[in-house]
Amino acid sequence: MKTKFSTEKFLNEFKNSKPVQAIIPLGYVPNLPIITSVNGQLCIHVPLMRYMVTGVVDKTLVFPVRYVFTVTIPEGAVISYEDLAYNGKFVNVDFSKPVGTFRHDAVKNLNKDEYAAVRSKLFAEYDKMIDFLANSAEYAETDKQVFMALLNQVLEPSLKPFYHAIDSNFAKRFIK
Amino acid sequence: MIDYEDNGFDLENQDLDMEENQDFLDEPFYDEDNQEGLIDPDEVEGEMSFVDMDGDGHTETTIVDYDMDGDGYAETHEVHSDLDNDGIDDYHAIFQEVDTNNSGEMDTMFAEIDSDGDMVPDKAVKYNDYDQDGVYDNVKVYSDTDGDEQLDVVEKHFDSDGDGIIDTTEVYVDETGDGFTDYHVMYDFDEETNLVVLADDYDFDYDDVYYADLEQYDPSTVSDPDMILGDPEESLDYWEYQGEDGPCALYAQMFVIEELSGVDIDIDDFINEATENGWYEDGEGTPILNMNQMLDYYDIDNEMGFNKSMDDIVECLSDGGKVIVSVDAAQIWYGEDTDIFSPMSGANHAVEVIGIDNSDPDNPMVILNDSGHPNGQGEMVPLDVFENAWNEGDRQMIVCYPS
């Protein structure tokens, strides 16, 4: 039986992986991954961006997505890395300025532990979709609806344009 | 900096005034059955004019001016445009000038616009000329962007610096329909150009960064020096505050270099050296594996490692060495506050560990020189809080000794 890929575990390990430590400035963390396919190989794009905790409730600053790693699933091998500051799609973006604040409305009622629980639920839905795509596991329309609901609850609205620009197929399908 | 109070904005809890403006939209000047609008031509006579607005030689726009209250001034204007010259109007609008303070001068104009020709209004616009100089000072555009006849986006165009010229636009989005901002739009994705584009020049107010009061190490209060590990008293002299977004990893290295080598370093020169060598990017920071490059540059004997323990820190300090670690600053500064956090934690800050205070064996404190906190000179952090914050950085540690 194939081992099920854990998105949450992968991201926690990836943030302290050697490629990240070697290239990415201190303070960047992975945000929600984008499931994609590269030449038929299941992959995820891992967007990295910064948050700045200001010490004021609901005013943690959200900065633009700056870096994107693409890794194969389930191996986790890095196949590409991009600094979006050098991508023409993002020529208008000032990466030094925040684009939004956290907590946004959809999660404003959640404290730290409750938010972490919702995020874990979303990662479990990522795992389910990846299992479907990698191993043809069962996947129902309701699974997709749950995934979308959680994704759109958790993803900071101010980052949605970046997700559209990074992978419009994923964004059009799942991001409202 | 935008003065939100002067502009009537509450950044945290922006009331979009949707209800009032939804009412405005729900009472249209015209409806689907009456393309001439609710202005009854039998009751009030308008003065009609025809204009070629787009300069293509066709008079595609009809403007009718009405004096609705009979005071001799035509304050209401109905506009119909056939923009594609197909004989069917595809833009309708009613503009109404109002003297809100009864000064005798019109100071506000309301507009209701059907911008797609479906006879259903999709925009309400409010123009204010507060100083009545004939130039609008503030324009608010309320839009129904998804065609559900509910306003969901507000654009505010205003004069942020008081020079009489509208210079700033803010966009507020209410997707949930509760009348309050869900988010501010700074960027949009333009599917036609495939570009992330600036939606407005909204800037954030950094002035309200709050720093928790943290205990600072005070050598004069130490009753038993044997309970203090390291030489924090001497290290305190090398601390400097980096500011809100300064290069923490460079400051931490500078503290250590100055203390171990006696060199007096100018931080600006130090940053330039790191930048020119590609070890630091202005405004972005330092990759973790570059956190000892300046130590090497200044010939400081050092070694970087990961998955280290408190015993490793104790050993280094006991041997007269200096320790730099990467931590999650939020956990150091804001501790266990369950309402202040970021979605994904991680190491985001470098500090120097200058000692450990074991005066209270049940509550040992780690002493830091933290350049990121205004009171970070000898910052005292409970051991368990420090360890949690250190875990986020994979327990990275740079031990430094004199060469």
Side-chain angles (χ1 to χ4, degrees), chain A residues 15 21 24 26-28 51 54-56 59-60 66 88-89 92-94 98-99 101 103 105 112 115 157 161, chain B residues 181-183 186-187 194-196 204 206 208 210 281 284 286-289 306 338-341 343 345 347 392:
Chain A
K15 71 181 178 185
Q21 290 178 337
I24 306 301
L26 199 60
Y28 279 82
Y51 295 97
T54 61
V56 181
K59 282 198 180 178
T60 292
R66 169 75 189 258
K89 286 183 186 177
N92 300 308
V93 175
D94 183 345
V99 292
T101 50
R103 294 170 293 187
D105 266 12
K112 190 174 182 176
Y115 175 81
Chain B
T181 305
D182 300 326
Y183 58 92
M186 186 153 179
Y187 292 104
N194 213 23
L195 292 174
V196 175
F204 278 81
Y206 276 83
D208 54 4
Y210 164 75
E281 183 183 349
E284 285 297 303
T286 308
I288 282 185
L289 295 185
F306 293 88
T338 58
D339 284 322
I340 298 175
F341 60 98
S345 57
E392 295 294 346

Side-chain angles (χ1 to χ4, degrees), chain A:
Chain A
M1 184 179 169
K2 290 182 181 175
T3 307
K4 207 172 168 187
F5 180 78
S6 167
T7 308
E8 187 164 27
K9 182 168 178 280
F10 171 79
L11 292 178
N12 276 324
E13 291 172 357
F14 187 73
K15 71 181 178 185
N16 289 322
S17 65
K18 281 292 174 282
V20 172
Q21 290 178 337
I23 302 171
I24 306 301
L26 199 60
Y28 279 82
V29 289
N31 208 316
L32 302 175
I34 294 167
I35 300 172
T36 187
S37 167
V38 178
N39 291 343
Q41 165 71 50
L42 184 61
C43 293
I44 53 173
H45 298 306
V46 183
L48 287 109
M49 39 81 65
R50 287 185 294 149
Y51 295 97
M52 179 181 167
V53 177
T54 61
V56 181
V57 173
D58 295 336
K59 282 198 180 178
T60 292
L61 301 178
V62 178
F63 285 80
V65 174
R66 169 75 189 258
Y67 305 98
V68 179
F69 281 88
T70 303
V71 301
T72 60
I73 297 298
E75 300 84 359
V78 174
I79 58 169
S80 71
Y81 149 80
E82 186 176 19
D83 181 346
L84 300 185
Y86 300 97
N87 179 325
K89 286 183 186 177
F90 302 90
V91 67
N92 300 308
V93 175
D94 183 345
F95 290 92
S96 68
K97 285 187 177 176
V99 292
T101 50
F102 175 83
R103 294 170 293 187
H104 51 280
D105 266 12
V107 297
K108 204 163 264 186
N109 59 333
L110 304 176
N111 66 29
K112 190 174 182 176
D113 291 340
E114 291 164 342
Y115 175 81
V118 170
R119 204 173 160 94
S120 290
K121 269 189 199 170
L122 171 57
F123 285 135
E125 293 302 322
Y126 267 101
D127 297 347
K128 200 180 284 182
M129 187 182 292
I130 287 170
D131 199 26
F132 161 65
L133 294 170
N135 307 319
S136 301
E138 280 186 24
Y139 196 76
E141 177 64 23
T142 51
D143 294 323
K144 180 184 165 191
Q145 297 305 325
V146 171
F147 174 74
M148 283 182 64
L150 288 167
L151 176 66
N152 285 283
Q153 180 185 8
V154 172
L155 180 62
E156 291 85 43
S158 51
L159 295 180
K160 288 180 179 177
F162 293 86
Y163 276 70
H164 276 278
I166 293 166
D167 190 326
S168 61
N169 286 335
F170 179 87
K172 280 180 183 170
R173 190 171 295 178
F174 300 116
I175 295 175
K176 284 188 282 187

Side-chain angles (χ1 to χ4, degrees), chain B residues 144-155:
Chain B
D144 166 22
T145 61
D146 55 10
D148 67 353
E149 299 185 26
Q150 296 294 313
L151 296 165
D152 48 40
V153 172
V154 178
E155 298 162 47

Side-chain angles (χ1 to χ4, degrees), chain B residues 8 14 46 57 129 261 278 313 327 345 397:
Chain B
Q14 177 66 41
D129 177 13
S261 69
I313 292 179
V327 294
S345 57
M397 170 181 175

